[in-house]
Amino acid sequence: MTEKISPAKSGLQLGILFGVIMVLEFVIMYVIGMKSLIGSPVGMIVNLLNFIGLPLLFIYMGCKNYKNLNNGFASFGECLKVGVSMMVIAALIYAAFNVIFNLIFPEFVDEMISIIRSEIIKKTPEITSKQLEMGLSFQRKFMNPMIAFPATIAMYAFFGLLYSLIIGAIVKNEKPQSF
């Protein structure tokens, strides 16, 4: 008798890999200099990769891997489990790194707020100082690790669910039922 593979367990390695890739991207962007990448085509490409391209690719690979491990069968629900669990694992890694990074480099938040301030002023010079400070205080709140950690996990879980719905509909191959 063959052992049943858990959908969440089959996506574990790809979830870890995606989390590590996001951490490496962050470190590379930090080393290069975030100031030069905000609002640039490179920064937009990295964001598109992290929020659309790579999640779709990894969820597809995870669902196909699960299907192969399960003798060519994967239900829609199992594809959802694979995708969401992969994205939650990746988000946990990335969010934990982000919290640790902010503890090691506490000046990072102030640097980012400064960059955001200059970008807002450059793009909307008619903004009042009250509006600017209100927007920046909102940004600062979302950079707080106590908010950023669960928000990152919730956001990637939502994207994982959304993308898994699409990919699950494509990849699924239900096991025929016998009486």
Side-chain angles (χ1 to χ4, degrees):
M1 183 168 161
T2 60
E3 182 181 324
K4 178 103 169 106
I5 305 294
S6 163
K9 190 175 180 184
S10 74
L12 180 67
Q13 290 176 328
L14 289 172
I16 291 170
L17 179 62
F18 181 43
V20 169
I21 287 172
M22 287 193 301
V23 167
L24 289 174
E25 285 175 352
F26 181 88
V27 169
I28 290 169
M29 286 178 62
Y30 182 75
V31 170
I32 290 173
M34 296 272 194
K35 291 177 187 171
S36 62
L37 296 176
I38 291 181
S40 74
V42 174
M44 289 180 62
I45 289 170
V46 169
N47 279 335
L48 285 174
L49 279 175
N50 281 342
F51 293 114
I52 299 173
L54 291 176
L56 284 169
L57 175 69
F58 277 100
I59 291 171
Y60 178 77
M61 289 182 352
C63 290
K64 289 296 275 187
N65 179 47
Y66 177 74
K67 190 173 171 181
N68 290 339
L69 292 174
N70 201 25
N71 300 320
F73 299 107
S75 71
F76 185 70
E78 290 167 335
C79 288
L80 287 177
K81 289 176 190 175
V82 169
V84 172
S85 64
M86 281 176 45
M87 291 299 108
V88 167
I89 291 166
L92 279 170
I93 292 169
Y94 183 68
F97 168 78
N98 224 340
V99 168
I100 293 167
F101 185 84
N102 284 330
L103 290 174
I104 294 172
F105 299 105
E107 71 277 358
F108 175 72
V109 172
D110 293 330
E111 289 175 22
M112 288 305 297
I113 294 295
S114 173
I115 293 168
I116 292 168
R117 175 189 305 273
S118 63
E119 284 294 314
I120 289 173
I121 291 171
K122 186 168 65 174
K123 290 189 177 170
T124 54
E126 68 278 354
I127 193 168
T128 66
S129 62
K130 186 176 181 179
Q131 290 171 327
L132 179 64
E133 290 309 316
M134 189 171 74
L136 292 176
S137 71
F138 191 70
Q139 286 285 332
R140 189 176 294 278
K141 285 178 188 172
F142 273 97
M143 289 180 160
N144 177 347
M146 297 305 227
I147 295 174
F149 191 87
T152 300
I153 294 167
M155 180 180 62
Y156 275 97
F158 174 73
F159 286 136
L161 176 65
L162 185 67
Y163 298 150
S164 296
L165 288 169
I166 297 165
I167 292 170
I170 296 167
V171 173
K172 74 175 178 160
N173 186 19
E174 302 282 342
K175 197 178 270 190
Q177 299 294 323
S178 61
F179 293 103

